[in-house]
Amino acid sequence: MTRPAPQGTRGATVPRPRAPVPAARSRRSPFAAARAALRTAVARVTGSVLGARQAAAVRIGVAGTWGFYLLREWPHRAELYGPGSPWGWDLAQRLVSGNGAFTALLWSRSEAWFTCVYVLALLVSFLLVLGWRTRTMSVLFALALLSLQNRSVFVGDGGDNLLHLLALYLCLTRCGQVWSLDARRRALGRPDRAGPWLWGLLGAALLAARLSDRLTPGWTLALAATWAALGAWWLLARRPLGETRALADILGNLLHHAGLLLLMAQTCLVYATAGWYKIQGSRWQDGTAVYYPLELDSFSPWPALSHALAAHGTLITLLTYGTVFAQVAFPFSLLNRRAKNVLIIVLVAEHLGIAFLLGLPFFSLAMLAADAVFLPTGFLRAVERGAHRLTRRLTRRPRRRTVPDGSRRTARSTDHEAPVRPGTGSVGAAP
């Protein structure tokens, strides 16, 4: 028997009975979530190479900047770093003996030795840009750069100090994973035949330098350890010994990420110190600091353009305050990806302006090479795809279509030859 509904409820919608609610899932504690996140981060840092394209961009930028600088100064190389340098042999010897800096140019006074070191620095820079034996070339590049810069410490415009540090940090990174001849060789599965010969040659050179008392014990130990590590890495790549290869990969990834962190920290330190020191200057406070270098003849490759810009007070004020803001804010912008990308564009424009208006191209290139570590991966992938399309377009061979004898079709070759008349029996016959 159906129970009658109470009065006042006729026509009203009766709610359906709810399904049984399952037992609530136990939420993870904050400690467990943090532990899982830490485990994931450790797995990424130790098991993969992060920032491979950024490291390759820094490698190409640093080596290319130094190589172009050496090429430009080829006519003046003896006055800058050679026997004809105002910073004489005795002064350089006294400085190096006091601070323990490395320079191979003080091993001999001869002009031939200086030329060999200079040419070797050029060659190593070119090979590092191409990414040929990147691990070895990064160490040789750092030694060649130190040899020239420590010979004459007062030569440079500020960018040389940054290149000095970036070259040392590059030795820690795995900067040849992409955009290199090493990566191409690994992709094609070709064996490394030149590696053992190069390793043996460098070992013989290191032994000869030590026996002739050219190297200090500290530099001998550092270079010998690096030489042994390169040989062990090459051996493990071909004959992995159990878990030793996995351990070597983990150590290599950790060193790579440590090098990237040093690159980032160095770039942030440069911008932070430059920005905060500018704030203390009265000319930067009143917005007129950019005006004065534009009026200096020593920093005016385009005097008419510099004077025209200096005549606009509002533009000078905006450039002055904008420079300070971008440099001070850049380290904090790393907390937000979009803000970082916007400031990267601003800083790139600033360095291009310095290169063009003040005549400091190599300082600007050095700063741009340091900024490359912060470039977005999506942008670098787009550049890579564009380079591949351009390469395929340039290397594409035109196809030549052939027509069998007796065919009545019109044949056109790639060089737009005349059509073939029926019955001629030859594709290349003239009409």
Side-chain angles (χ1 to χ4, degrees):
M1 182 175 180
T2 306
R3 185 177 180 180
Q7 294 182 0
T9 62
R10 293 182 179 180
T13 304
V14 180
R16 296 181 179 180
R18 296 181 179 179
V21 180
R25 298 179 180 177
S26 58
R27 296 181 178 179
R28 291 191 302 177
S29 63
F31 178 76
R35 185 172 57 183
L38 179 61
R39 188 184 301 113
T40 303
V42 170
R44 289 194 65 190
V45 170
T46 58
S48 61
V49 179
L50 303 178
R53 288 173 176 80
Q54 285 81 356
V58 174
R59 181 199 86 223
I60 296 172
V62 170
T65 300
W66 184 245
F68 282 133
Y69 172 77
L70 295 181
L71 280 177
R72 191 193 72 169
E73 301 299 339
W74 176 267
H76 313 288
R77 62 190 185 281
E79 291 78 10
L80 293 176
Y81 304 107
S85 174
W87 187 253
W89 177 276
D90 296 334
L91 293 174
Q93 194 77 269
R94 188 183 307 174
L95 179 64
V96 170
S97 61
N99 59 15
F102 175 86
T103 174
L105 290 180
L106 295 181
W107 293 358
S108 174
R109 290 176 176 264
S110 67
E111 183 79 21
W113 174 249
F114 164 72
T115 304
C116 288
V117 174
Y118 200 94
V119 172
L120 179 63
L122 271 172
L123 178 62
V124 169
S125 301
F126 177 71
L127 293 177
L128 186 59
V129 170
L130 296 179
W132 184 80
R133 306 301 184 276
T134 314
R135 294 182 180 276
T136 304
M137 289 302 126
S138 62
V139 178
L140 292 179
F141 174 79
L143 294 178
L145 187 144
L146 293 177
S147 296
L148 292 170
Q149 289 189 354
N150 291 334
R151 171 61 180 85
S152 298
V153 294
F154 295 107
V155 174
D157 51 11
D160 56 324
N161 295 328
L162 184 60
L163 290 177
H164 187 127
L165 297 171
L166 297 181
L168 295 177
Y169 301 153
L170 273 179
C171 297
L172 302 177
T173 63
R174 305 180 71 174
C175 55
Q177 294 294 306
V178 295
W179 302 351
S180 64
L181 294 179
D182 292 343
R184 184 174 182 271
R185 186 184 69 250
R186 288 191 297 266
L188 296 177
R190 295 176 180 175
D192 185 8
R193 296 187 178 90
W197 293 98
L198 181 62
W199 184 76
L201 179 63
L202 294 177
L206 178 60
L207 180 61
R210 182 54 192 157
L211 293 178
S212 60
D213 201 19
R214 303 293 185 183
L215 288 174
T216 61
W219 279 104
T220 302
L221 180 61
L223 295 179
T226 304
W227 177 78
L230 291 175
W233 184 272
W234 182 90
L235 181 63
L236 289 175
R238 278 131 191 91
R239 297 180 181 178
L241 305 175
E243 297 182 354
T244 310
R245 172 63 181 177
L247 178 60
D249 282 331
I250 291 175
L251 293 178
N253 293 337
L254 290 176
L255 284 177
H256 167 78
H257 297 133
L260 282 183
L261 285 178
L262 288 173
L263 288 170
M264 295 177 182
Q266 184 64 53
T267 307
C268 291
L269 183 63
V270 169
Y271 283 125
T273 53
W276 287 106
Y277 271 106
K278 285 181 174 66
I279 289 178
Q280 303 175 29
S282 59
R283 294 294 176 264
W284 292 97
Q285 293 176 5
D286 59 24
T288 61
V290 176
Y291 169 81
Y292 297 98
L294 292 175
E295 292 295 324
L296 293 176
D297 295 335
S298 302
F299 295 96
S300 298
W302 315 97
L305 180 59
S306 298
H307 295 329
L309 291 176
H312 293 78
T314 303
L315 180 60
I316 293 297
T317 303
L318 291 176
L319 291 176
T320 302
Y321 289 147
T323 300
V324 175
F325 173 79
Q327 293 180 352
V328 172
F330 180 74
F332 302 100
S333 70
L334 300 182
L335 301 175
N336 186 280
R337 182 178 302 178
R338 293 182 179 178
K340 183 261 296 183
N341 293 340
V342 170
L343 283 184
I344 281 289
I345 297 175
V346 173
L347 292 173
V348 167
E350 174 190 339
H351 295 313
L352 292 178
I354 292 174
F356 188 75
L357 295 176
L358 301 183
L360 298 173
F362 294 102
F363 168 78
S364 298
L365 287 175
M367 291 302 304
L368 292 175
D371 293 340
V373 73
F374 296 106
L375 291 177
T377 304
F379 170 76
L380 294 177
R381 288 181 182 273
V383 172
E384 182 179 352
R385 290 192 297 268
H388 285 169
R389 286 195 296 266
L390 180 61
T391 302
R392 288 196 300 267
R393 188 173 301 175
L394 293 177
T395 58
R396 183 182 301 170
R397 295 181 179 179
R399 297 181 180 179
R400 182 182 294 273
R401 294 182 296 177
T402 58
V403 178
D405 295 342
S407 175
R408 293 182 176 273
R409 295 181 180 179
T410 301
R412 291 185 180 180
S413 61
T414 56
D415 54 354
H416 304 287
E417 292 178 353
V420 181
R421 288 186 178 183
T424 55
S426 176
V427 176

